[in-house]
Amino acid sequence: MDSTIFHLFGVDEIFERFARRRMTGCFHIYTANESANVFFKDGFIVAASQGPTDGEQVLKQVLEWNTVHYLWQPNAAPTQGSLKPLKIVVPEFLAHWQASARCEKVAAVAGGAPPTPPSTPVIMIPAKGQSTGPLVQVTSTRPRAADLDSSLTATKPFALTAEVRATQEEALLTKHKLALASVDNPGTRMKISRVSSLVGRNQACDLTISHTSISRQHCLLQLTDRGLHVKDLDTTNGTRVNGIPLKEGYVSVGDKLTIGHLHFILEKA
């Protein structure tokens, strides 16, 4: 089984990545006491199970879990007829989940009942031979506990709303405007277009580099107010800055960043 461990992002962030990259396979999510399987096809969630429970209720449960671990099995599919079929559009599902969380937070502060968030239909794909299933509504759910830290922590997910996260990312990207220019292939540049960019050989990474010296998940690039922070993910061929092995630290404009056996210069985009 070709699998990849994902331990850098929250469940909602990985859902977004799989949807954006139109991934197909099974996403195993587990904690010390619980586990669930979420099946993707071309970026849509088509099934989900947690023990005897299946359907969209499983998704709402796993979004609340803390201290989770992940395992990705590409191209895996649920056994036909074993699980309730779904076709969930991930961005709409997460937007509704976040709106529900905000409603509950406002109600908790005010001491009253939570207002009803706007309904977002989730389309059900009928099983083979059945007529079209009904539209179902995603109900309110409590958000995952925030895990924020004032210090730079590359492995902690940010439990922020989509609007706040987008505003922060836009501000940092506008401030720095960075790109990695290839030394080995002059004229080739990779623009850093996300605040947290996972670099590696796996297709789910933000910056995918198909080279044998690059690990499936090789390093994490994270923009901060100070600049670009790079964290090597305990790889075989390592990450270096100006020839010096780097576990994690900041890289300045003009520095030579070596990922595996490939060399890049950090430049202004």
Side-chain angles (χ1 to χ4, degrees):
M1 179 181 71
D2 184 16
S3 61
T4 303
I5 298 294
F6 291 87
H7 54 84
L8 300 173
F9 306 101
V11 176
D12 54 337
E13 292 174 302
I14 295 181
F15 280 2
E16 290 175 346
R17 290 165 184 267
F18 286 176
R20 188 170 64 250
R21 293 181 175 271
R22 301 180 65 84
M23 302 286 282
T24 296
C26 180
F27 185 38
H28 306 278
I29 312 166
Y30 57 98
T31 69
N33 302 311
E34 301 174 283
S35 66
N37 294 324
V38 179
F39 292 90
F40 284 79
K41 183 176 182 181
D42 296 328
F44 294 96
I45 295 176
V46 295
S49 66
Q50 181 192 359
T53 306
D54 68 348
E56 68 276 2
Q57 181 62 33
V58 175
L59 304 178
K60 292 181 284 185
Q61 290 292 332
V62 300
L63 286 168
E64 299 177 17
W65 289 354
N66 294 302
T67 314
V68 292
H69 303 277
Y70 316 123
L71 180 66
W72 172 248
Q73 184 180 0
N75 301 317
T79 303
Q80 188 171 7
S82 63
L83 298 176
K84 181 186 300 181
L86 306 170
K87 187 176 182 181
I88 290 182
V89 181
V90 173
E92 294 180 3
F93 180 88
L94 292 178
H96 187 83
W97 173 71
Q98 290 161 348
S100 299
R102 287 196 298 273
C103 288
E104 289 195 353
K105 184 175 180 180
V106 170
V109 173
T116 303
S119 298
T120 300
V122 178
I123 301 174
M124 302 287 292
I125 299 178
K128 186 175 181 181
Q130 295 180 356
S131 59
T132 303
L135 295 180
V136 297
Q137 304 298 327
V138 180
T139 57
S140 178
T141 183
R142 190 172 302 281
R144 185 180 67 248
D147 187 12
L148 301 177
D149 194 313
S150 58
S151 62
L152 174 70
T153 308
T155 58
K156 288 186 177 180
F158 294 96
L160 302 176
T161 65
E163 293 84 356
V164 172
R165 183 183 299 165
T167 300
Q168 291 182 349
E169 288 194 0
E170 183 178 358
L172 285 171
L173 291 169
T174 301
K175 176 180 179 180
H176 295 294
K177 295 182 179 179
L178 298 175
L180 292 174
S182 173
V183 175
D184 308 288
N185 296 292
T188 301
R189 300 171 86 242
M190 295 190 301
K191 184 179 179 180
I192 298 175
S193 57
R194 293 179 62 86
V195 169
S196 293
S197 297
L198 184 61
V199 180
R201 207 171 68 246
N202 189 276
Q203 61 175 328
C205 293
D206 300 293
L207 297 176
T208 302
I209 305 176
S210 299
H211 194 272
T212 55
S213 70
I214 306 295
S215 297
R216 291 182 181 277
Q217 294 181 91
H218 198 100
C219 61
L220 181 69
L221 310 181
Q222 189 165 12
L223 285 176
T224 71
D225 285 333
R226 178 178 170 182
L228 181 66
H229 183 271
V230 179
K231 179 181 177 67
D232 182 80
L233 302 177
D234 298 322
T235 57
T236 301
N237 294 312
T239 303
R240 299 183 295 280
V241 176
N242 298 326
I244 302 173
L246 175 76
K247 285 298 182 182
E248 63 175 299
Y250 283 91
V251 181
S252 302
V253 172
D255 283 346
K256 182 179 180 181
L257 178 65
T258 302
I259 305 174
H261 297 161
L262 301 182
H263 309 288
F264 303 90
I265 300 295
L266 184 63
E267 299 180 343
K268 284 288 186 180

